[in-house]
């Protein structure tokens, strides 16, 4: 199955997650770039965007696309929303992953990731595959979880990609491979 990983990353955790996913699936990878790069996080917050730069890949040549990007205040990053708006009807199957600050216990809160995934499933219908969150708190100690700065300053990397987050990743990859 020919797979593309398309990603947007502001601080590096979603880049790391996208690279790990592409390597595990032997997939091509492409970065999503907004037309005004510094505007990405702000565009997400105010729910406005001028769009993305054109992709250097033909989406229709892939059997599956894995879209990877952050969720800010209950909204998928603008670059990812732009991708879905432009290519959502062209993809055969779209899986979504995110490294986010929302812990699993708060996934159903106003700014949690569950509502984002539900909206994607409604938008994409049968084209929507798996949606999986990789909350950054899965790599934190209990003490770090209580410290907002630790949460904000932690990035996924080889040094902390183990334990619960690695197990969740392996399960996600197994699910994609067996689909």
């Amino acid at each position: 199955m020919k797979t593309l990983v398309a990603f947007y990353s502001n601080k590096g955790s979603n880049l790391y997650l996208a690279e790990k996913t592409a390597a595990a699936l032997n997939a091509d990878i492409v970065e999503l770039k907004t037309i005004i790069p510094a505007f990405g996080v702000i565009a997400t917050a105010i729910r406005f965007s001028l769009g993305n730069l054109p992709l250097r890949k033909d989406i229709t040549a892939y059997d599956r696309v894995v879209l990877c990007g952050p969720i800010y205040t209950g909204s998928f990053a603008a670059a990812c929303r732009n991708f879905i708006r432009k290519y959502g009807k062209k993809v055969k199957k779209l899986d979504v992953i995110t490294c986010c600050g929302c812990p699993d216990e708060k996934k159903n809160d106003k700014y949690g990731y569950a509502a984002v995934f539900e909206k994607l499933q409604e938008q994409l219908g049968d084209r929507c595959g798996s949606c999986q969150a990789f909350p950054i708190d899965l790599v934190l100690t209990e003490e770090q979880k209580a410290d907002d700065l630790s949460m904000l300053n932690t990035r996924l990397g080889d040094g902390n990609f183990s334990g619960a987050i690695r197990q969740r990743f392996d399960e996600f990859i197994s699910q994609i491979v067996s689909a």
Side-chain angles (χ1 to χ4, degrees):
M1 180 175 289
K2 192 169 180 184
T3 303
L4 175 68
V5 176
F7 76 93
Y8 171 78
S9 185
N10 185 46
K11 295 184 178 180
S13 290
N14 282 287
L15 166 62
Y16 181 83
L17 187 57
E19 289 175 338
K20 293 294 270 188
T21 302
L25 297 174
N26 194 29
D28 294 337
I29 188 167
V30 64
E31 182 178 7
L32 304 176
K33 297 181 180 182
T34 55
I35 290 174
I36 303 174
F39 194 59
V41 175
I42 297 167
T44 301
I46 63 172
R47 310 255 189 315
F48 172 79
S49 179
L50 298 174
N52 292 349
L53 295 174
L55 285 184
R56 296 183 178 162
K57 303 283 184 184
D58 176 10
I59 293 297
T60 62
Y62 294 91
D63 301 305
R64 164 172 257 122
V65 175
V66 179
L67 181 59
C68 178
I71 294 174
Y72 302 117
T73 62
S75 184
F76 214 8
C80 296
R81 289 195 327 267
N82 294 338
F83 177 89
I84 293 165
R85 192 174 307 119
K86 185 168 184 174
Y87 300 108
K89 292 182 179 173
K90 296 178 183 178
V91 297
K92 295 171 185 146
K93 188 62 81 175
L94 182 73
D95 301 290
V96 176
I97 56 177
T98 180
C99 179
C100 59
C102 175
D104 289 333
E105 306 82 54
K106 294 184 178 183
K107 70 180 181 182
N108 293 314
D109 289 0
K110 180 178 179 181
Y111 298 119
Y113 59 81
V116 175
F117 290 165
E118 285 175 26
K119 186 174 180 180
L120 288 171
Q121 290 165 340
E122 287 173 14
Q123 278 181 289
L124 297 167
D126 292 342
R127 291 183 311 282
C128 189
S130 299
C131 294
Q132 185 61 258
F134 297 87
I136 199 70
D137 78 329
L138 292 176
V139 303
L140 300 175
T141 65
E142 290 304 317
E143 186 176 297
Q144 290 171 317
K145 289 177 186 178
D147 178 19
D148 290 341
L149 283 179
S150 288
M151 181 82 82
L152 290 172
N153 292 325
T154 300
R155 305 289 175 263
L156 284 185
D158 289 337
N160 63 11
F161 197 70
S162 60
I165 202 160
R166 180 62 196 229
Q167 181 180 351
R168 187 175 292 195
F169 177 79
D170 291 343
E171 289 169 3
F172 172 77
I173 295 300
S174 292
Q175 186 178 23
I176 297 300
V177 170
S178 65

